[in-house]
Amino acid sequence: MGGGRGPDKGQLMNPEKFTHALTELFQEAYALATERQHAALLPLHLLSVSLGNDLIRSCLSSLSVNVDALAQIVTQELEKLPTVSGGSVGADRSLQIFLSECDAQAK
């Protein structure tokens, strides 16, 4: 990629860029959980920050998902989570299970 040529024919996505994008997604989710003073990082945090991504919004819209309504529900659910003061945000068990299932699907 580069030079305005676009992606090479036959190359669907650049795995290095995907890894970088996924790392950024986790950083944004962690920042959200920290900002909201949540005790744990949940799949809900990942979904929340994912809904800010134009590509993900477009994909969900193409599946007839009302993205704005989904974002509103996600925000409401985040507001229901308990808050803590001090300490660090750790990965919740549900996030660990989610990531394990994603890894299994990728293999």
Side-chain angles (χ1 to χ4, degrees):
M1 270 192 220
R5 292 182 342 169
D8 294 335
K9 301 258 189 251
Q11 182 180 357
L12 215 49
M13 70 177 112
N14 179 345
E16 290 177 9
K17 187 170 186 174
F18 177 75
T19 301
H20 178 71
L22 191 56
T23 299
E24 284 183 352
L25 180 72
F26 273 94
Q27 290 171 343
E28 290 175 26
Y30 181 83
L32 176 64
T34 301
E35 173 186 309
R36 289 182 168 263
Q37 297 182 322
H38 294 152
L41 182 61
L42 302 167
L44 190 61
H45 293 102
L46 290 171
L47 178 57
S48 179
V49 297
S50 294
L51 293 175
N53 180 289
D54 290 338
L55 177 61
I56 292 174
R57 290 181 70 88
S58 177
C59 289
L60 290 172
S61 292
S62 73
L63 296 170
S64 300
V65 173
N66 183 333
V67 180
D68 292 332
L70 177 59
Q72 185 176 8
I73 292 167
V74 168
T75 298
Q76 290 170 351
E77 292 303 311
L78 285 171
E79 290 171 357
K80 292 178 185 178
L81 294 175
T83 59
V84 297
S85 56
S88 61
V89 175
D92 184 74
R93 177 87 175 121
S94 64
L95 180 61
Q96 294 171 1
I97 291 169
F98 171 74
L99 294 175
S100 293
E101 290 174 358
C102 288
D103 189 47
Q105 290 292 322
K107 291 181 181 178

